[in-house]
Amino acid sequence: MRQSGRTRVAVDAARASASTLERRGIDVKGELFRAVLLFCVVIGVVMLATLLIYVTIAGWPRLDVNLFTQMPSTRDPQTSGFLPAIVGTIYVMFGVLITTVPIGVSAAIYLEEYADASKWYNRFIETNIQNLAAVPSIVFGILGLAFIVRGPWGLGFVAFAGSLTLMMMVLPTVIIASREAIRGVPSTLRQASLGLGATRWQTVSRQVLPVAFPGVLTGTILAMSRAIGETAPLLLVGATTFVRFLPEGLFEGAYSVMTVQIFQWAMRPQEEFRTLAAAGSIVLVALLLLMNSVAIWLRNKYSREY
Amino acid sequence: MNARKKDSEMTDQATRAAGPVPSPQRAVRDVPDVPKEPVFTTQDLNIHYGDFHAVTDVSMEFGKNEITALIGPSGCGKSTVLRCLNRMNDLIPTARVSGEVRYHGIELYGPKIDPIEVRRRIGMVFQKANPFPKSIYDNIAYGPRVTGMKVDSMDDLVEQTLRRAALWDEVKDKLKQNAYGLSGGQQQRLCIARAIATNPDVVLMDEPCSALDPIATLRIEELMAELRESYTIIIVTHNMQQAARVSDRTAFFTVKVNETTGDRTGGLVEFDRTTTIFENPSDQRTEGYISGRFG
């Protein structure tokens, strides 16, 4: 192919300019931006690290067997523990688990598999689930006090009232996570099942849910770890700050939870009780990290199937 | 038969390197002018997706124990028509079907018809192999289980089905393994096996070979020729040679443009015996498409 004179001139010019491809000093704006971003990351990590180190140092002397086996005491911080709070937390979290999972997963199945998005009420529900996730937890505490502890349900100040209050709080998280997981199931799988003459329920229960299960589980664990660290709404629905006995059951007797017990210890003037609060915090943080790790592990374990 | 046995012993990798694929040998079948016993009859079938008029005025007959191929360029509505035959279009909320679709004389879109019962009689194989993420055995057993089929021995049913789909020898030692471990061609044959496990009347195939290599395609075409003895098969394909090789009748669809509004819609141009469509088409558009001038 023959080049015209003009083309050749243009090509020569382009070649000549290659000599100016060298770097012309430092890109100041680019480097500055990079430094700012890095600084922001460092702030977050340093704050978290400082907190963990401080709590560990402060609580280390009391991280002993007594912490897990003894009742709390107002007089003798050395042998004081928070066994009732640990048991109370287990009761409350059990209640959260057995209510949140069936309700949350069912709601997610409805919204993903059955709801007709062109109907106004389905869109209304969708929007409001997002909104509910952003409601401050103390508001759920007030709601729990008015409707679950007193009012129409009238359960009284029992562990299950705490469970239901926390359930309301974490339900949106579970619904949103479960919807993501269900949406991630390829539609070809549904078509294959329906094409064989399976009903919609058979398709959902035998094909969609098993594939979505790891995602649902991850969302549930994250929701549980949010609930276990919650204090404010439980103060309103009866997690008593000081109990020297184990809760009698889900539906009777006063109860306490770990966060509330830590809060109560931290409020006391004596140094020993603050050490105790720090020790309790270590246990709580360790538990949270463990739960989050399990969630991450599950996600990685199952994420390669599709 | 010998050629096929040899194929099954080779891996996909080896056969791919083996050179050009011979076209399958099959006896020339005597195809009557019109289907003797129509399984489906459509009359002025129109399909809309919301405001979009996808298919206009399709009237045709699909014969029993015949392979009918639907061919045509993209957007001509051939897959839409196929999906309307087992009411898979019901799953798209905006889809609307008007006109008549009769299945053995029964109006398929009648008010008392249960789409789930329809799909139990009219199986479907999809473009991309979509086995369930379960064992090979469970893939086959799923249909009979969900439809509540009375089965004396599920093991026997699975074996028979896999034998009919010419897959038994390849998978008999790994029935409990995940179906995702199979090659693409094997997965698609597993999907065909899954579709015939409930012993349907019709098998619809929506471009079943478009994601497969020539050897795997050949195997599926041979399988279709065998299945024709017991089932009615309707296949949508982009591959004209495939339509010419496997089908008894071919329907050519195309995109029709309304000259005043500019709206595009799919429609049937010509429907005849495959030999007639490929050797002596009566419509110029068919001839143009067959000879590769457009589409």
Side-chain angles (χ1 to χ4, degrees):
Chain A
M1 223 179 274
R2 212 171 62 86
Q3 289 174 325
S4 72
R6 189 173 296 179
T7 314
R8 195 175 306 133
V9 170
V11 169
D12 286 347
R15 281 189 189 140
S17 70
S19 62
T20 61
L21 286 174
E22 290 144 30
R23 218 183 282 258
R24 279 186 212 152
I26 302 161
D27 173 8
V28 179
K29 268 192 204 161
E31 290 300 315
L32 196 68
F33 190 53
R34 193 182 125 97
V36 170
L37 294 179
L38 185 65
F39 180 66
C40 294
V41 174
V42 169
I43 289 182
V45 174
V46 166
M47 299 253 289
L48 184 66
T50 313
L51 191 75
L52 286 177
I53 292 166
Y54 171 76
V55 167
T56 309
I57 292 171
W60 192 254
R62 275 307 327 269
L63 203 60
D64 52 22
V65 183
N66 281 347
L67 184 70
F68 299 97
T69 55
Q70 296 299 314
M71 301 290 167
S73 158
T74 47
R75 279 178 237 126
D76 183 9
Q78 288 312 316
T79 58
S80 181
F82 67 163
L83 179 64
I86 294 174
V87 176
T89 297
I90 292 170
Y91 271 76
V92 170
M93 295 312 294
F94 175 73
V96 176
L97 192 70
I98 60 165
T99 50
T100 308
V101 172
I103 297 175
V105 173
S106 305
I109 292 172
Y110 171 78
L111 289 170
E112 281 302 314
E113 301 285 333
Y114 289 87
D116 176 357
S118 64
K119 297 280 187 298
W120 69 268
Y121 47 85
N122 287 324
R123 287 205 305 273
F124 179 80
I125 293 170
E126 268 200 69
T127 318
N128 279 286
I129 285 171
Q130 308 279 347
N131 289 340
L132 274 179
V135 170
S137 59
I138 190 78
V139 176
F140 286 112
I142 295 168
L143 195 67
L145 179 63
F147 288 92
I148 296 168
V149 174
R150 301 193 181 130
W153 288 46
L155 289 182
F157 293 107
V158 295
F160 199 64
S163 301
L164 289 179
T165 306
L166 290 180
M167 176 205 80
M168 291 194 292
M169 192 188 79
V170 297
L171 203 49
T173 317
V174 173
I175 294 175
I176 291 167
S178 304
R179 285 188 67 184
E180 295 282 336
I182 291 169
R183 206 178 306 151
V185 179
S187 64
T188 54
L189 212 58
R190 294 183 182 85
Q191 289 188 359
S193 176
L194 293 166
L196 286 169
T199 63
R200 207 192 291 212
W201 167 240
Q202 286 170 330
T203 302
V204 169
S205 61
R206 301 189 190 199
Q207 301 296 343
V208 176
L209 281 185
V211 175
F213 178 72
V216 172
L217 199 61
T218 308
T220 305
I221 293 172
L222 291 178
M224 290 299 122
S225 61
R226 198 189 147 197
I228 208 172
E230 199 57 59
T231 321
L234 290 176
L235 284 173
L236 281 174
V237 295
T240 326
T241 53
F242 186 79
V243 278
R244 277 193 58 84
F245 44 83
L246 301 182
E248 289 157 42
L250 267 180
F251 293 97
E252 52 188 330
Y255 68 103
S256 183
V257 293
M258 289 159 75
T259 49
V260 172
Q261 184 65 61
I262 292 166
F263 171 72
Q264 193 256 350
W265 278 331
M267 289 291 101
R268 289 172 175 263
Q270 299 96 321
E271 187 61 36
E272 293 86 347
F273 280 112
R274 293 210 210 128
T275 307
L276 208 48
S281 301
I282 296 173
V283 176
L284 193 60
V285 169
L287 197 61
L288 280 169
L289 288 178
L290 183 72
M291 289 172 80
N292 284 318
S293 309
V294 171
I296 292 167
W297 176 72
L298 281 171
R299 197 169 52 209
N300 292 342
K301 183 166 186 256
Y302 290 102
S303 62
R304 56 200 154 69
E305 271 204 19
Y306 279 93
Chain B
M1 266 326 224
N2 274 341
R4 200 157 64 96
K5 195 149 195 186
K6 211 169 128 203
D7 276 343
S8 65
E9 283 160 13
M10 291 191 216
T11 64
D12 276 3
Q13 199 62 45
T15 45
R16 214 174 281 137
V21 182
S23 56
Q25 301 292 314
R26 72 180 180 89
V28 177
R29 274 168 50 106
D30 195 22
V31 183
D33 282 352
V34 289
K36 270 186 199 149
E37 193 185 334
V39 172
F40 289 106
T41 312
T42 73
Q43 190 69 47
D44 296 327
L45 172 65
N46 282 268
I47 304 169
H48 291 78
Y49 292 122
D51 294 334
F52 173 56
H53 197 165
V55 175
T56 310
D57 296 337
V58 173
S59 302
M60 59 188 292
E61 286 184 331
F62 299 88
K64 188 171 166 60
N65 293 90
E66 288 184 358
I67 299 181
T68 307
L70 311 182
I71 62 167
S74 298
C76 68
K78 54 193 190 301
S79 285
T80 305
V81 169
L82 188 79
R83 282 162 174 267
C84 141
L85 296 178
N86 72 340
R87 298 200 53 171
M88 282 304 268
N89 275 338
D90 290 21
L91 305 175
I92 303 163
T94 56
R96 195 155 44 82
V97 175
S98 56
E100 235 177 45
V101 185
R102 289 189 176 278
Y103 169 65
H104 293 297
I106 302 161
E107 178 55 55
L108 207 55
Y109 284 81
K112 286 185 177 166
I113 302 295
D114 181 0
I116 289 160
E117 285 301 325
V118 170
R119 293 184 205 125
R120 288 179 181 185
R121 288 176 176 74
I122 305 167
M124 188 151 192
V125 176
F126 298 86
Q127 185 170 358
K128 195 169 162 287
N130 56 356
F132 300 124
K134 296 172 186 279
S135 71
I136 292 165
Y137 185 98
D138 285 339
N139 265 275
I140 302 292
Y142 184 75
R145 280 178 187 151
V146 295
T147 53
M149 239 169 94
K150 298 270 179 295
V151 181
D152 290 336
S153 158
M154 189 59 88
D155 291 1
D156 290 348
L157 179 80
V158 169
E159 179 175 343
Q160 280 168 21
T161 307
L162 286 169
R163 281 189 191 282
R164 268 191 293 169
L167 198 59
W168 175 252
D169 290 335
E170 291 159 69
V171 302
K172 63 183 175 197
D173 299 325
K174 45 182 178 181
L175 290 176
K176 296 292 172 193
Q177 287 176 27
N178 196 303
Y180 277 53
L182 297 174
S183 74
Q186 288 173 325
Q187 286 188 16
Q188 191 62 297
R189 278 183 290 144
L190 179 67
C191 290
I192 295 174
R194 185 177 65 183
I196 61 175
T198 48
N199 204 16
D201 179 32
V202 184
V203 180
L204 307 177
M205 299 187 175
D206 191 356
E207 298 183 39
C209 304
S210 64
L212 302 180
D213 66 54
I215 293 290
T217 300
L218 177 63
R219 309 273 305 272
I220 287 185
E221 289 177 7
E222 288 171 341
L223 176 58
M224 288 169 66
E226 274 174 40
L227 294 177
R228 168 171 46 197
E229 306 306 323
S230 344
Y231 305 98
T232 300
I233 297 175
I234 303 170
I235 176 174
V236 163
T237 178
H238 265 300
N239 181 337
M240 277 183 286
Q241 284 73 34
Q242 181 169 61
R245 283 194 299 263
V246 301
S247 69
D248 300 308
R249 285 174 212 281
T250 298
F252 172 63
F253 287 71
T254 195
V255 185
K256 297 172 177 172
V257 183
N258 185 322
E259 279 171 19
T260 46
T261 60
D263 288 343
R264 299 164 75 84
T265 177
L268 178 64
V269 176
E270 194 173 350
F271 177 45
D272 213 321
R273 279 177 294 199
T274 299
T275 46
T276 312
I277 291 279
F278 280 89
E279 284 160 19
N280 190 19
S282 51
D283 195 290
Q284 270 196 331
R285 289 168 292 181
T286 314
E287 197 184 345
Y289 186 76
I290 300 295
S291 57
R293 274 202 294 276
F294 92 103

